[in-house]
Amino acid sequence: MTAPGAGPPDALASAIAPGEAAAAASRATRFADAARPALADTRLRRTLGAAVAAERDRAAAAAAEPADWEELREAGRALRDAALLDLDTHLESLERAVTGAGGTVHWAADAAEARRIVVGLVRATGARDVLQAPSATVREAGLPGALARAGVTVRPAGLGDLIVGLGEEAPSHLSSPALHRDRAQVRELFLRGLPGAPADLSDDPADLAGAARAHLRDRFTGARVAVTGAAFLAADTGTAVLTESGGEGRMCLTLPGTLITVAGIDKVVPSWTDLEVLLQLLPRASSGDRMTPYVSAWTGVHPGDGPREFHLVLLDNGRTRALADEVGRAALRCIRCSACLNVCPVYERTGGGPYGPVLPGPVGAMLTPQLRGVESAANASLPFASTLCGACADVCPVKIDIPAILVHLRGTVVESRRARPVPTPELVLMRGLAWTMGDARRYRLAVRRGTRWARLLSRGGRIRRLPGLLGKWTDARDVPAPPARSFRDWQGRR
């Protein structure tokens, strides 16, 4: 184990400055504002709608096949809860097992420390470029930007990451980063930015995959260092597990001489045998497959086989804080299957961009505010990016009650705003309503006057636009005019 860094060397200071994920988060606007361009893009909405509907149907059919699917879900929930309750013990076991197998464990309290560790490891090899397998944790730590600032070229190994990289945008889906792009758009991106793409490239999926494969192949054969994530970490054996559909991650594990795996501390499971349950749940909930096409597992180093150096960077970055929250800790059960994205009516219309650069959909709405805090307007808006319909909870393979966590986080956001020296307009409004409703006479007077003003604003029995801050309610809907006489008045006159 390496000691946590007391402070970065000056030479690394610029490289480990806040990465693109944190920088983007600090610049991001609230979810409702960030979603407006996507809502106005009919092509994006059509592509997203068709893609998530297909994913949703495949997952539903796959979940209906096993007779014991609900028992599997319950076993997954219990297994993930048990792992989190004794997380400190399992992490210590994991460190001993990895070290015993010839690997090295590094502890990163936050994203900056992870960047310092990884940039230092890559520099020590003398490599000028690295392969990067698709990983939300790698993006969370801001590693691609940190390595680029250190003069290291980062080469995405996955097809989806290649596509969104050519489009200079963030992945919009956990398992299919370029889900929001149709075939014609991918062809245009390849012709514009992919070296060696034939001029007569068609939008046939096989042709597009062939062009990407020819481009990526040289990267794999010449790479000396690879950076990956991990789906699970088995504490008893020290084994890291990567699941994927394209095989690019497996190439990263076998060809480079140095392998650096960056994983959140919540990815730990107590035993290798626990994967029997999780590897049944993950593919069926994610893509509707009976099994994941590529499941790669590696333990330390082995002479003559695979990388000669293996480094495991365990990232906290707010997970310990989330674990201390009795309600919010259930979010750490998440196995990143994307099932909640595919059934979410909000995600289906906005895509992943408005959620930020790392975790899209309901999983991002419940995890990002816990990992980063709710101080920024962008993060504080995420728990409200939900209809609370409950579809996400119904399909979650480890039974996370996502709506309950979002309601809990909404309360956290409201409580955090109470301490501000200048209350928000929403808080002023709510305090006014509480004062009005706290007295029967005040309430009746407010209803009478409010009804009178509302009827003056109405045309044809509808109110098209409410005044002031209330106008946001009528941005996308009309409000029916109140009746001339309330039910209370009608009843009192009988």
Side-chain angles (χ1 to χ4, degrees), residues 8-98:
D10 292 341
L12 298 180
S14 62
I16 66 170
E20 66 268 31
S26 66
R27 291 193 304 271
T29 56
R30 295 180 305 166
F31 180 89
D33 297 325
R36 291 186 192 283
L39 293 173
D41 189 336
T42 53
R43 185 176 187 176
L44 172 68
R45 293 181 59 179
R46 184 170 59 249
T47 303
L48 270 174
V52 298
E55 297 271 350
R56 186 166 57 234
D57 291 346
R58 282 198 298 270
E65 284 185 340
D68 61 347
W69 179 248
E70 287 305 314
E71 286 79 2
L72 272 173
R73 290 180 70 205
E74 181 58 29
R77 182 204 63 76
L79 190 156
R80 294 295 293 142
D81 275 347
L84 293 172
L85 284 174
D86 289 320
L87 186 59
D88 53 345
T89 302
H90 301 315
L91 285 170
E92 290 175 354
S93 299
L94 175 71
E95 182 184 23
R96 285 194 297 271
V98 171

Side-chain angles (χ1 to χ4, degrees), residues 74-210:
E74 181 58 29
R77 182 204 63 76
L79 190 156
R80 294 295 293 142
D81 275 347
L84 293 172
L85 284 174
D86 289 320
L87 186 59
D88 53 345
T89 302
H90 301 315
L91 285 170
E92 290 175 354
S93 299
L94 175 71
E95 182 184 23
R96 285 194 297 271
V98 171
T99 304
T104 305
V105 175
H106 308 259
W107 299 89
D110 53 27
E113 190 166 10
R115 291 192 291 273
R116 179 184 65 78
I117 292 168
V118 174
V119 170
L121 290 171
V122 173
R123 282 188 164 181
T125 67
R128 303 306 302 168
D129 56 16
V130 301
L131 277 177
Q132 181 213 325
S135 167
T137 310
V138 170
R139 293 198 305 276
E140 175 189 339
L143 291 176
L147 289 167
R149 289 190 293 276
V152 178
T153 301
V154 180
R155 303 186 183 282
L159 175 59
D161 283 355
L162 175 65
I163 294 171
V164 297
L166 291 173
E168 298 181 347
E169 56 193 352
S172 67
H173 194 272
L174 282 173
S175 57
S176 304
L179 186 80
H180 59 296
R181 293 287 192 180
D182 59 31
R183 292 186 299 173
Q185 290 174 315
V186 174
R187 174 181 175 274
E188 291 171 8
L189 288 172
F190 279 12
L191 290 176
R192 192 169 65 229
L194 189 68
D200 59 347
L201 180 67
S202 74
D203 63 0
D204 183 79
D207 290 345
L208 296 173

Side-chain angles (χ1 to χ4, degrees), residues 55-435:
E55 297 271 350
R56 186 166 57 234
D57 291 346
R58 282 198 298 270
E65 284 185 340
D68 61 347
W69 179 248
E70 287 305 314
E71 286 79 2
L72 272 173
R73 290 180 70 205
E74 181 58 29
R77 182 204 63 76
L79 190 156
R80 294 295 293 142
D81 275 347
L84 293 172
L85 284 174
D86 289 320
L87 186 59
D88 53 345
T89 302
H90 301 315
L91 285 170
E92 290 175 354
S93 299
L94 175 71
E95 182 184 23
R96 285 194 297 271
V98 171
T99 304
T104 305
V105 175
H106 308 259
W107 299 89
D110 53 27
E113 190 166 10
R115 291 192 291 273
R116 179 184 65 78
I117 292 168
V118 174
V119 170
L121 290 171
V122 173
R123 282 188 164 181
T125 67
R128 303 306 302 168
D129 56 16
V130 301
L131 277 177
Q132 181 213 325
S135 167
T137 310
V138 170
R139 293 198 305 276
E140 175 189 339
L143 291 176
L147 289 167
R149 289 190 293 276
V152 178
T153 301
V154 180
R155 303 186 183 282
L159 175 59
D161 283 355
L162 175 65
I163 294 171
V164 297
L166 291 173
E168 298 181 347
E169 56 193 352
S172 67
H173 194 272
L174 282 173
S175 57
S176 304
L179 186 80
H180 59 296
R181 293 287 192 180
D182 59 31
R183 292 186 299 173
Q185 290 174 315
V186 174
R187 174 181 175 274
E188 291 171 8
L189 288 172
F190 279 12
L191 290 176
R192 192 169 65 229
L194 189 68
D200 59 347
L201 180 67
S202 74
D203 63 0
D204 183 79
D207 290 345
L208 296 173
R213 189 177 297 115
H215 172 71
L216 292 170
R217 185 167 294 144
D218 290 341
R219 297 183 174 191
F220 289 127
T221 56
R224 295 169 54 193
V225 181
V227 179
T228 76
F232 305 107
L233 300 167
D236 59 343
T237 60
T239 304
V241 179
L242 186 66
T243 59
E244 54 177 334
S245 58
E248 59 273 2
R250 179 166 294 181
M251 300 287 277
C252 292
L253 305 178
T254 51
L255 295 177
T258 300
L259 174 62
I260 303 170
T261 296
V262 183
I265 58 175
D266 54 318
K267 298 296 181 70
V268 175
V269 295
S271 169
W272 167 258
T273 57
D274 294 330
L275 297 175
E276 176 187 354
V277 173
L278 298 174
L279 291 180
Q280 291 185 69
L281 289 170
L282 181 60
R284 290 181 183 272
S286 175
S287 57
D289 293 321
R290 292 169 178 162
M291 62 181 295
T292 305
Y294 292 88
V295 179
S296 302
W298 63 101
T299 306
V301 295
H302 303 275
D305 183 18
R308 293 182 295 278
E309 290 184 30
F310 170 56
H311 299 272
L312 175 61
V313 181
L314 292 171
L315 179 64
D316 185 328
N317 204 34
R319 288 165 175 79
T320 301
R321 182 174 60 243
L323 190 62
D325 186 328
E326 292 185 359
V327 177
R329 74 173 54 142
L332 296 177
R333 282 189 221 142
C334 179
I335 58 174
R336 310 296 195 270
C337 67
S338 306
C340 56
L341 279 70
N342 299 333
V343 299
C344 177
V346 177
Y347 174 83
E348 184 173 339
R349 285 156 180 80
T350 66
Y355 293 91
V358 179
L359 294 172
V363 59
M366 71 171 175
L367 266 175
T368 301
Q370 294 195 77
L371 299 183
R372 295 183 181 164
V374 295
E375 288 75 18
S376 76
N379 294 341
S381 69
L382 289 176
F384 299 89
S386 170
T387 64
L388 303 181
C389 66
C392 49
D394 290 343
V395 299
C396 178
V398 287
K399 293 192 170 184
I400 302 174
D401 190 348
I402 297 175
I405 294 175
L406 294 178
V407 170
H408 169 69
L409 292 174
R410 291 179 183 185
T412 303
V413 171
V414 172
E415 288 300 322
S416 71
R417 291 173 176 172
R418 289 186 192 280
R420 292 182 177 179
V422 179
T424 63
E426 182 185 13
L427 186 57
V428 171
L429 178 63
M430 291 300 169
R431 285 175 176 172
L433 288 173
W435 179 82

